[in-house]
Amino acid sequence: MSAIVIGIDIGTSGARAVALDAASTIVAQATASLSDFGADPCDPNIWWAAVARSIQGCVRSIGGSKVRAMAVDGTSGTVLPVDAMGRPLAAPLMYNEKVADAGLLARIAPLMPPESAAHGPTSGLAKMLFFQRVPGVAKLLHQADWIVGRLSGHFDVTDENNALKSGYDPVAGNWPEWIVGTGLKPEFLPQVLAPGAVIGSILPAVAAEFGLPSDVCIVAGTTDGCASFLATGASTPGDGVSALGSSLTLKLLSTAPIFAPEFGIYSHHILGMWLAGGASNTGGRVLAHFFDPDTLRRLSATIDPSRPSGLDYYPLLSPGERFPIMDPSLPPRLEPRPPQADEFLKGLLEGIAAIEQLGYQRLEELGAPKLKSVRSVGGGSANPQWTCIRQRMLGVPFPTAVSGEAAAGTARLALAGARNAGLL
Protein backbone atom coordinates (compact mmCIF):
# COMPACT_ATOMS: atom_id res chain seq x y z
CA MET A 1 0.00 0.00 0.00
CA SER A 2 1.23 3.50 -0.84
CA ALA A 3 1.59 6.37 1.60
CA ILE A 4 -1.62 7.20 3.47
CA VAL A 5 -3.20 10.36 4.89
CA ILE A 6 -6.12 10.62 7.30
CA GLY A 7 -8.87 13.22 7.38
CA ILE A 8 -10.94 13.67 10.54
CA ASP A 9 -14.43 15.16 10.73
CA ILE A 10 -15.82 16.09 14.13
CA GLY A 11 -19.52 16.86 13.94
CA THR A 12 -22.55 17.30 16.15
CA SER A 13 -23.15 13.60 16.77
CA GLY A 14 -19.84 11.87 16.17
CA ALA A 15 -16.42 11.71 14.58
CA ARG A 16 -15.34 10.06 11.35
CA ALA A 17 -11.87 9.32 10.01
CA VAL A 18 -11.20 8.57 6.35
CA ALA A 19 -7.86 7.34 5.01
CA LEU A 20 -6.79 8.14 1.43
CA ASP A 21 -3.86 6.85 -0.56
CA ALA A 22 -1.76 9.07 -2.80
CA ALA A 23 -4.26 8.59 -5.67
CA SER A 24 -7.09 9.97 -3.46
CA THR A 25 -8.71 6.54 -3.15
CA ILE A 26 -10.47 5.78 0.12
CA VAL A 27 -8.69 2.83 1.72
CA ALA A 28 -10.24 2.86 5.19
CA GLN A 29 -12.80 4.69 7.27
CA ALA A 30 -14.14 4.50 10.80
CA THR A 31 -16.73 6.29 12.91
CA ALA A 32 -17.42 6.86 16.58
CA SER A 33 -20.53 8.28 18.22
CA LEU A 34 -20.19 11.04 20.80
CA SER A 35 -22.94 9.39 22.84
CA ASP A 36 -20.65 6.39 23.43
CA PHE A 37 -18.48 8.55 25.68
CA GLY A 38 -21.00 10.58 27.65
CA ALA A 39 -24.24 12.50 27.61
CA ASP A 40 -22.82 15.93 26.68
CA PRO A 41 -21.95 16.27 22.97
CA CYS A 42 -20.49 19.71 23.71
CA ASP A 43 -17.77 18.35 26.01
CA PRO A 44 -14.38 18.71 24.25
CA ASN A 45 -13.07 15.62 26.04
CA ILE A 46 -15.88 13.63 24.45
CA TRP A 47 -14.94 15.10 21.07
CA TRP A 48 -11.39 13.86 21.59
CA ALA A 49 -12.49 10.40 22.71
CA ALA A 50 -14.59 9.99 19.55
CA VAL A 51 -11.79 11.30 17.34
CA ALA A 52 -9.32 8.90 18.96
CA ARG A 53 -11.58 5.93 18.39
CA SER A 54 -12.13 6.83 14.74
CA ILE A 55 -8.38 7.19 14.15
CA GLN A 56 -7.77 3.86 15.84
CA GLY A 57 -10.39 2.24 13.61
CA CYS A 58 -8.62 3.46 10.47
CA VAL A 59 -5.21 2.42 11.72
CA ARG A 60 -6.46 -1.08 12.53
CA SER A 61 -7.58 -1.43 8.91
CA ILE A 62 -4.45 -0.14 7.18
CA GLY A 63 -1.67 -0.24 9.78
CA GLY A 64 -0.03 2.92 11.00
CA SER A 65 3.38 2.78 9.35
CA LYS A 66 2.25 4.30 6.02
CA VAL A 67 0.44 7.31 7.51
CA ARG A 68 2.14 10.55 6.53
CA ALA A 69 -0.30 13.37 7.39
CA MET A 70 -3.56 14.19 9.16
CA ALA A 71 -6.01 17.11 9.00
CA VAL A 72 -9.20 18.01 10.87
CA ASP A 73 -12.47 19.73 10.05
CA GLY A 74 -15.12 20.88 12.53
CA THR A 75 -18.39 22.74 12.79
CA SER A 76 -18.10 26.34 11.58
CA GLY A 77 -18.54 28.93 14.31
CA THR A 78 -17.99 26.65 17.32
CA VAL A 79 -15.65 28.41 19.78
CA LEU A 80 -14.06 27.59 23.14
CA PRO A 81 -11.56 29.35 25.46
CA VAL A 82 -8.42 27.51 26.54
CA ASP A 83 -5.54 28.17 28.93
CA ALA A 84 -1.85 28.20 28.02
CA MET A 85 -1.77 24.37 28.09
CA GLY A 86 -4.79 24.06 25.80
CA ARG A 87 -7.18 23.03 28.56
CA PRO A 88 -10.80 24.14 28.00
CA LEU A 89 -11.92 26.77 30.52
CA ALA A 90 -15.65 26.76 29.76
CA ALA A 91 -18.23 24.79 27.82
CA PRO A 92 -17.95 25.67 24.11
CA LEU A 93 -20.55 27.75 22.34
CA MET A 94 -21.60 25.58 19.42
CA TYR A 95 -22.06 26.68 15.82
CA ASN A 96 -25.81 27.27 16.24
CA GLU A 97 -25.73 28.85 19.71
CA LYS A 98 -26.21 32.57 20.17
CA VAL A 99 -24.44 35.02 22.42
CA ALA A 100 -27.16 36.40 24.67
CA ASP A 101 -25.47 39.73 25.41
CA ALA A 102 -27.54 42.10 23.25
CA GLY A 103 -25.48 45.10 24.37
CA LEU A 104 -22.28 43.50 23.12
CA LEU A 105 -23.85 42.68 19.75
CA ALA A 106 -25.27 46.18 19.32
CA ARG A 107 -21.88 47.71 20.14
CA ILE A 108 -19.80 45.69 17.68
CA ALA A 109 -22.20 45.45 14.71
CA PRO A 110 -21.45 48.97 13.37
CA LEU A 111 -17.71 48.27 13.48
CA MET A 112 -17.84 45.33 11.08
CA PRO A 113 -17.66 45.80 7.31
CA PRO A 114 -20.89 44.70 5.62
CA GLU A 115 -19.09 41.90 3.78
CA SER A 116 -17.69 40.32 6.95
CA ALA A 117 -18.97 36.85 7.83
CA ALA A 118 -18.72 37.76 11.54
CA HIS A 119 -22.12 39.45 11.75
CA GLY A 120 -24.79 38.01 14.00
CA PRO A 121 -25.15 36.46 17.46
CA THR A 122 -23.92 33.01 16.31
CA SER A 123 -20.69 34.33 14.78
CA GLY A 124 -17.35 33.19 16.06
CA LEU A 125 -16.36 36.79 16.80
CA ALA A 126 -19.32 37.33 19.13
CA LYS A 127 -18.41 34.15 20.98
CA MET A 128 -14.76 35.18 21.25
CA LEU A 129 -15.76 38.51 22.77
CA PHE A 130 -17.93 36.67 25.26
CA PHE A 131 -15.22 34.15 26.18
CA GLN A 132 -12.32 36.59 26.55
CA ARG A 133 -13.83 37.48 29.95
CA VAL A 134 -13.09 33.97 31.26
CA PRO A 135 -10.28 34.04 33.88
CA GLY A 136 -7.03 32.45 32.70
CA VAL A 137 -7.87 32.45 28.98
CA ALA A 138 -4.81 32.26 26.72
CA LYS A 139 -6.37 31.54 23.31
CA LEU A 140 -9.81 31.47 21.71
CA LEU A 141 -10.09 28.47 19.41
CA HIS A 142 -12.53 26.82 17.04
CA GLN A 143 -13.58 23.19 17.36
CA ALA A 144 -11.15 21.87 14.74
CA ASP A 145 -8.33 23.99 16.21
CA TRP A 146 -8.63 22.28 19.57
CA ILE A 147 -8.49 18.79 18.05
CA VAL A 148 -5.42 19.91 16.08
CA GLY A 149 -3.90 21.02 19.38
CA ARG A 150 -4.50 17.60 20.93
CA LEU A 151 -2.71 16.02 17.96
CA SER A 152 0.19 18.47 17.61
CA GLY A 153 0.52 20.41 20.85
CA HIS A 154 -0.15 23.66 18.94
CA PHE A 155 -3.11 25.31 20.67
CA ASP A 156 -2.49 28.61 18.91
CA VAL A 157 -3.35 28.03 15.24
CA THR A 158 -6.46 27.99 13.08
CA ASP A 159 -7.22 27.90 9.36
CA GLU A 160 -8.62 30.56 7.04
CA ASN A 161 -12.01 28.87 6.75
CA ASN A 162 -12.73 28.38 10.45
CA ALA A 163 -11.49 31.93 11.11
CA LEU A 164 -13.89 33.52 8.59
CA LYS A 165 -16.88 33.82 10.96
CA SER A 166 -14.54 35.15 13.64
CA GLY A 167 -13.73 38.21 11.51
CA TYR A 168 -10.67 37.08 9.56
CA ASP A 169 -10.21 38.84 6.20
CA PRO A 170 -9.32 36.14 3.63
CA VAL A 171 -8.70 38.68 0.86
CA ALA A 172 -6.17 40.72 2.84
CA GLY A 173 -4.94 37.56 4.57
CA ASN A 174 -5.01 38.91 8.12
CA TRP A 175 -7.01 39.69 11.23
CA PRO A 176 -8.25 43.19 10.31
CA GLU A 177 -7.61 46.26 12.44
CA TRP A 178 -11.32 46.86 13.08
CA ILE A 179 -11.38 43.77 15.32
CA VAL A 180 -9.35 45.64 17.93
CA GLY A 181 -12.07 48.29 17.97
CA THR A 182 -14.60 45.68 19.10
CA GLY A 183 -12.59 45.22 22.29
CA LEU A 184 -11.21 41.79 21.42
CA LYS A 185 -7.64 41.42 22.64
CA PRO A 186 -5.37 40.46 19.71
CA GLU A 187 -3.24 38.15 21.86
CA PHE A 188 -6.20 35.80 22.22
CA LEU A 189 -6.48 35.29 18.45
CA PRO A 190 -4.81 32.22 16.93
CA GLN A 191 -2.36 32.36 14.06
CA VAL A 192 -4.14 31.73 10.76
CA LEU A 193 -2.80 29.29 8.16
CA ALA A 194 -4.11 28.33 4.75
CA PRO A 195 -6.02 25.03 4.60
CA GLY A 196 -3.47 22.39 3.65
CA ALA A 197 -0.51 24.19 5.28
CA VAL A 198 1.68 22.10 7.56
CA ILE A 199 1.31 23.01 11.24
CA GLY A 200 3.89 20.65 12.70
CA SER A 201 4.53 17.03 13.68
CA ILE A 202 2.30 14.81 15.74
CA LEU A 203 3.06 14.72 19.46
CA PRO A 204 5.26 11.70 20.31
CA ALA A 205 2.81 10.44 22.95
CA VAL A 206 -0.10 10.66 20.50
CA ALA A 207 1.89 8.88 17.80
CA ALA A 208 2.66 6.09 20.23
CA GLU A 209 -0.98 5.87 21.36
CA PHE A 210 -2.21 5.38 17.79
CA GLY A 211 0.73 3.35 16.49
CA LEU A 212 1.81 6.05 14.04
CA PRO A 213 5.26 7.22 12.90
CA SER A 214 6.71 10.09 14.90
CA ASP A 215 7.05 12.27 11.79
CA VAL A 216 3.36 12.33 10.79
CA CYS A 217 2.62 15.96 9.89
CA ILE A 218 -0.49 17.72 11.14
CA VAL A 219 -2.02 19.89 8.42
CA ALA A 220 -4.37 22.87 8.70
CA GLY A 221 -7.93 21.78 7.99
CA THR A 222 -11.21 23.54 7.30
CA THR A 223 -14.89 23.75 8.21
CA ASP A 224 -17.27 20.84 7.78
CA GLY A 225 -19.05 22.59 4.88
CA CYS A 226 -15.86 23.22 2.91
CA ALA A 227 -14.68 19.69 3.62
CA SER A 228 -17.92 18.26 2.24
CA PHE A 229 -17.35 20.24 -0.97
CA LEU A 230 -13.81 18.91 -1.39
CA ALA A 231 -14.99 15.35 -0.75
CA THR A 232 -17.18 15.37 -3.86
CA GLY A 233 -14.22 15.66 -6.23
CA ALA A 234 -15.19 19.14 -7.44
CA SER A 235 -11.91 20.82 -8.34
CA THR A 236 -12.21 23.32 -11.22
CA PRO A 237 -13.82 26.77 -11.48
CA GLY A 238 -17.49 26.41 -12.34
CA ASP A 239 -17.91 23.16 -10.39
CA GLY A 240 -20.88 23.47 -8.05
CA VAL A 241 -22.04 21.35 -5.14
CA SER A 242 -25.64 21.39 -3.92
CA ALA A 243 -26.30 20.02 -0.44
CA LEU A 244 -29.91 18.83 -0.29
CA GLY A 245 -30.37 18.40 3.42
CA SER A 246 -32.82 20.03 5.79
CA SER A 247 -31.81 23.27 4.09
CA LEU A 248 -30.46 23.95 0.60
CA THR A 249 -26.79 24.98 0.52
CA LEU A 250 -24.91 25.87 -2.67
CA LYS A 251 -21.17 26.24 -3.18
CA LEU A 252 -19.41 27.13 -6.42
CA LEU A 253 -15.67 27.03 -7.08
CA SER A 254 -14.50 30.42 -8.32
CA THR A 255 -11.28 32.13 -9.34
CA ALA A 256 -12.29 35.27 -7.43
CA PRO A 257 -14.03 35.84 -4.10
CA ILE A 258 -17.68 36.85 -3.97
CA PHE A 259 -18.89 38.78 -0.92
CA ALA A 260 -22.48 40.01 -1.17
CA PRO A 261 -24.14 40.19 2.24
CA GLU A 262 -27.24 41.65 0.62
CA PHE A 263 -27.75 38.19 -0.90
CA GLY A 264 -26.32 36.09 1.93
CA ILE A 265 -23.17 35.23 -0.06
CA TYR A 266 -19.61 34.95 1.21
CA SER A 267 -16.48 33.05 0.13
CA HIS A 268 -13.88 30.72 1.62
CA HIS A 269 -10.30 30.62 0.36
CA ILE A 270 -9.16 27.06 -0.26
CA LEU A 271 -6.38 25.42 -2.28
CA GLY A 272 -5.67 28.60 -4.20
CA MET A 273 -9.28 29.17 -5.26
CA TRP A 274 -12.47 30.56 -3.74
CA LEU A 275 -15.56 28.70 -2.61
CA ALA A 276 -18.53 31.06 -2.97
CA GLY A 277 -22.04 30.27 -1.89
CA GLY A 278 -24.91 30.58 0.51
CA ALA A 279 -27.69 28.71 2.26
CA SER A 280 -31.44 29.01 1.67
CA ASN A 281 -34.21 28.41 4.18
CA THR A 282 -35.87 26.03 1.75
CA GLY A 283 -34.98 22.35 1.57
CA GLY A 284 -35.80 18.99 3.07
CA ARG A 285 -37.44 20.43 6.17
CA VAL A 286 -40.25 21.76 3.94
CA LEU A 287 -40.76 18.35 2.33
CA ALA A 288 -40.72 16.65 5.74
CA HIS A 289 -43.44 19.02 6.96
CA PHE A 290 -45.87 17.72 4.35
CA PHE A 291 -44.73 14.11 3.78
CA ASP A 292 -43.27 11.36 5.94
CA PRO A 293 -40.26 9.54 4.42
CA ASP A 294 -42.26 6.53 3.15
CA THR A 295 -44.91 8.72 1.53
CA LEU A 296 -42.23 10.92 -0.01
CA ARG A 297 -40.54 7.91 -1.60
CA ARG A 298 -43.84 6.41 -2.79
CA LEU A 299 -45.14 9.63 -4.35
CA SER A 300 -41.78 10.52 -5.90
CA ALA A 301 -41.82 7.22 -7.82
CA THR A 302 -45.08 8.26 -9.54
CA ILE A 303 -43.78 11.64 -10.75
CA ASP A 304 -42.96 12.27 -14.42
CA PRO A 305 -39.99 14.66 -14.02
CA SER A 306 -39.93 15.57 -17.73
CA ARG A 307 -43.35 17.28 -17.55
CA PRO A 308 -43.40 20.61 -15.67
CA SER A 309 -46.23 20.96 -13.19
CA GLY A 310 -46.93 24.58 -14.07
CA LEU A 311 -46.86 25.49 -10.38
CA ASP A 312 -44.72 28.39 -9.19
CA TYR A 313 -43.80 27.70 -5.58
CA TYR A 314 -41.24 29.25 -3.25
CA PRO A 315 -41.23 26.53 -0.58
CA LEU A 316 -40.68 27.93 2.91
CA LEU A 317 -42.19 26.92 6.24
CA SER A 318 -42.40 30.49 7.52
CA PRO A 319 -41.65 33.98 6.23
CA GLY A 320 -38.00 34.84 5.75
CA GLU A 321 -35.20 33.97 3.31
CA ARG A 322 -31.43 34.49 3.37
CA PHE A 323 -30.17 33.26 -0.04
CA PRO A 324 -30.45 33.74 -3.00
CA ILE A 325 -32.89 36.43 -1.82
CA MET A 326 -32.15 38.20 1.44
CA ASP A 327 -35.55 39.15 2.80
CA PRO A 328 -36.51 38.42 6.42
CA SER A 329 -40.18 38.85 5.54
CA LEU A 330 -40.33 36.95 2.23
CA PRO A 331 -43.58 34.92 2.40
CA PRO A 332 -43.83 31.25 1.45
CA ARG A 333 -45.51 30.63 -1.90
CA LEU A 334 -47.36 27.31 -1.79
CA GLU A 335 -50.56 28.05 -3.69
CA PRO A 336 -52.52 26.93 -5.60
CA ARG A 337 -52.46 23.45 -4.14
CA PRO A 338 -53.58 20.73 -6.54
CA PRO A 339 -55.81 17.92 -5.23
CA GLN A 340 -53.28 15.26 -6.28
CA ALA A 341 -50.59 14.74 -3.65
CA ASP A 342 -47.98 13.75 -6.22
CA GLU A 343 -48.55 16.97 -8.19
CA PHE A 344 -48.17 19.01 -5.01
CA LEU A 345 -44.92 17.19 -4.27
CA LYS A 346 -43.70 17.82 -7.81
CA GLY A 347 -44.44 21.52 -7.36
CA LEU A 348 -42.39 21.56 -4.16
CA LEU A 349 -39.45 19.74 -5.79
CA GLU A 350 -39.57 22.12 -8.77
CA GLY A 351 -39.77 25.12 -6.44
CA ILE A 352 -36.67 24.09 -4.53
CA ALA A 353 -34.89 23.40 -7.84
CA ALA A 354 -35.86 26.89 -9.06
CA ILE A 355 -34.28 28.40 -5.93
CA GLU A 356 -31.16 26.32 -6.63
CA GLN A 357 -31.14 27.64 -10.20
CA LEU A 358 -31.54 31.24 -9.02
CA GLY A 359 -28.72 30.75 -6.51
CA TYR A 360 -26.21 29.72 -9.14
CA GLN A 361 -27.43 32.51 -11.44
CA ARG A 362 -26.93 35.01 -8.64
CA LEU A 363 -23.35 33.86 -8.09
CA GLU A 364 -22.61 34.22 -11.81
CA GLU A 365 -24.16 37.72 -11.87
CA LEU A 366 -21.81 38.73 -9.07
CA GLY A 367 -18.66 37.55 -10.85
CA ALA A 368 -18.39 33.81 -10.28
CA PRO A 369 -17.77 31.50 -13.26
CA LYS A 370 -20.73 30.14 -15.19
CA LEU A 371 -21.97 26.89 -13.69
CA LYS A 372 -20.37 23.92 -15.49
CA SER A 373 -21.41 20.95 -13.36
CA VAL A 374 -23.30 20.11 -10.18
CA ARG A 375 -22.47 17.37 -7.70
CA SER A 376 -25.16 16.57 -5.17
CA VAL A 377 -24.88 15.53 -1.53
CA GLY A 378 -27.38 15.13 1.29
CA GLY A 379 -30.50 13.04 1.60
CA GLY A 380 -32.27 14.65 -1.33
CA SER A 381 -29.54 13.57 -3.75
CA ALA A 382 -30.88 9.99 -3.51
CA ASN A 383 -34.24 10.97 -5.06
CA PRO A 384 -33.94 10.13 -8.79
CA GLN A 385 -37.05 12.04 -9.85
CA TRP A 386 -35.87 15.17 -8.09
CA THR A 387 -32.46 14.76 -9.70
CA CYS A 388 -34.12 14.65 -13.15
CA ILE A 389 -36.11 17.79 -12.37
CA ARG A 390 -32.95 19.58 -11.27
CA GLN A 391 -31.03 18.43 -14.35
CA ARG A 392 -33.81 19.74 -16.58
CA MET A 393 -33.81 23.12 -14.87
CA LEU A 394 -30.05 23.62 -14.41
CA GLY A 395 -28.98 22.25 -17.80
CA VAL A 396 -25.49 21.09 -16.80
CA PRO A 397 -23.87 17.67 -16.21
CA PHE A 398 -24.42 16.03 -12.82
CA PRO A 399 -21.25 14.02 -12.10
CA THR A 400 -21.48 11.56 -9.23
CA ALA A 401 -19.90 12.86 -6.06
CA VAL A 402 -16.75 10.90 -5.20
CA SER A 403 -17.78 10.94 -1.55
CA GLY A 404 -20.31 12.63 0.67
CA GLU A 405 -18.06 12.32 3.72
CA ALA A 406 -16.56 15.56 5.02
CA ALA A 407 -13.60 13.58 6.37
CA ALA A 408 -12.68 12.58 2.82
CA GLY A 409 -12.48 16.23 1.83
CA THR A 410 -10.29 17.00 4.83
CA ALA A 411 -8.06 14.09 3.85
CA ARG A 412 -7.57 15.84 0.49
CA LEU A 413 -6.11 18.77 2.43
CA ALA A 414 -3.84 16.36 4.29
CA LEU A 415 -2.68 15.03 0.89
CA ALA A 416 -1.91 18.59 -0.28
CA GLY A 417 0.07 19.27 2.90
CA ALA A 418 1.99 16.03 2.65
CA ARG A 419 2.91 16.73 -0.97
CA ASN A 420 4.05 20.27 -0.17
CA ALA A 421 6.18 18.88 2.65
CA GLY A 422 7.78 16.34 0.31
CA LEU A 423 6.29 13.36 2.17
CA LEU A 424 4.59 11.83 -0.88
Side-chain angles (χ1 to χ4, degrees):
M1 186 178 291
S2 63
I4 301 297
V5 300
I6 295 176
I8 300 154
D9 168 58
I10 176 68
T12 56
S13 61
R16 179 179 291 273
V18 169
L20 299 184
D21 65 15
S24 296
T25 301
I26 294 177
V27 295
Q29 51 189 313
T31 61
S33 173
L34 298 179
S35 61
D36 290 344
F37 302 97
D40 183 6
C42 300
D43 182 346
N45 294 309
I46 289 178
W47 299 346
W48 175 250
V51 165
R53 180 176 289 180
S54 66
I55 294 172
Q56 289 162 346
C58 271
V59 171
R60 278 196 299 270
S61 297
I62 59 174
S65 63
K66 297 290 187 181
V67 176
R68 293 291 176 264
M70 304 171 75
V72 183
D73 77 76
T75 51
S76 176
T78 295
V79 173
L80 70 160
V82 301
D83 66 14
M85 301 299 293
R87 292 173 296 217
L89 297 175
L93 281 171
M94 299 300 291
Y95 69 100
N96 59 347
E97 291 187 281
K98 297 180 180 180
V99 171
D101 188 340
L104 182 152
L105 297 171
R107 176 173 57 81
I108 67 173
L111 301 173
M112 304 183 208
E115 66 273 12
S116 174
H119 284 277
T122 63
S123 78
L125 177 59
K127 293 164 186 171
M128 286 184 170
L129 283 160
F130 176 79
F131 277 138
Q132 76 171 351
R133 309 166 182 171
V134 175
V137 64
K139 279 290 183 286
L140 300 164
L141 301 179
H142 309 96
Q143 184 181 39
D145 308 340
W146 189 77
I147 299 297
V148 162
R150 289 297 303 261
L151 291 168
S152 67
H154 293 278
F155 289 99
D156 58 355
V157 293
T158 188
D159 64 85
E160 289 181 313
N161 301 158
N162 273 295
L164 190 67
K165 288 185 179 179
S166 296
Y168 180 76
D169 185 340
V171 177
N174 58 30
W175 292 108
E177 292 185 4
W178 62 259
I179 285 185
V180 177
T182 68
L184 185 62
K185 296 180 180 178
E187 61 265 29
F188 294 154
L189 291 170
Q191 177 189 2
V192 183
L193 299 178
V198 174
I199 294 170
S201 295
I202 193 169
L203 286 169
V206 177
E209 176 185 353
F210 296 141
L212 298 173
S214 60
D215 62 349
V216 169
C217 68
I218 306 302
V219 173
T222 184
T223 63
D224 52 353
C226 292
S228 294
F229 182 96
L230 293 173
T232 67
S235 60
T236 61
D239 286 347
V241 171
S242 296
L244 306 169
S246 58
S247 60
L248 171 67
T249 301
L250 309 183
K251 286 185 168 64
L252 181 67
L253 206 56
S254 174
T255 54
I258 309 295
F259 290 95
E262 67 273 23
F263 295 116
I265 297 169
Y266 59 91
S267 298
H268 289 90
H269 192 214
I270 195 161
L271 296 180
M273 290 179 282
W274 294 89
L275 201 51
S280 168
N281 289 336
T282 194
R285 63 166 61 96
V286 180
L287 302 177
H289 177 77
F290 293 103
F291 305 101
D292 63 63
D294 289 338
T295 302
L296 183 60
R297 282 189 291 270
R298 177 174 56 80
L299 291 177
S300 293
T302 68
I303 288 175
D304 177 2
S306 66
R307 180 183 61 81
S309 69
L311 299 168
D312 181 24
Y313 290 165
Y314 201 109
L316 298 170
L317 288 183
S318 59
E321 177 62 304
R322 48 188 173 149
F323 167 82
I325 299 169
M326 176 68 81
D327 183 351
S329 61
L330 184 75
R333 194 166 64 242
L334 297 169
E335 299 290 343
R337 182 164 176 171
Q340 303 91 348
D342 58 343
E343 280 297 291
F344 178 56
L345 173 59
K346 182 193 283 190
L348 292 176
L349 297 177
E350 289 175 341
I352 297 172
I355 296 170
E356 181 183 12
Q357 181 184 43
L358 178 60
Y360 285 120
Q361 288 175 351
R362 187 78 74 205
L363 290 168
E364 183 182 350
E365 290 167 2
L366 293 168
K370 184 177 180 62
L371 183 67
K372 295 178 181 178
S373 69
V374 172
R375 291 165 173 84
S376 305
V377 297
S381 63
N383 186 319
Q385 289 77 24
W386 197 6
T387 298
C388 290
I389 288 170
R390 295 171 54 234
Q391 287 175 321
R392 167 168 57 82
M393 297 181 70
L394 290 171
V396 297
F398 272 48
T400 300
V402 174
S403 173
E405 299 291 349
T410 308
R412 287 184 60 186
L413 292 175
L415 270 177
R419 289 193 177 104
N420 290 339
L423 300 176
L424 294 180

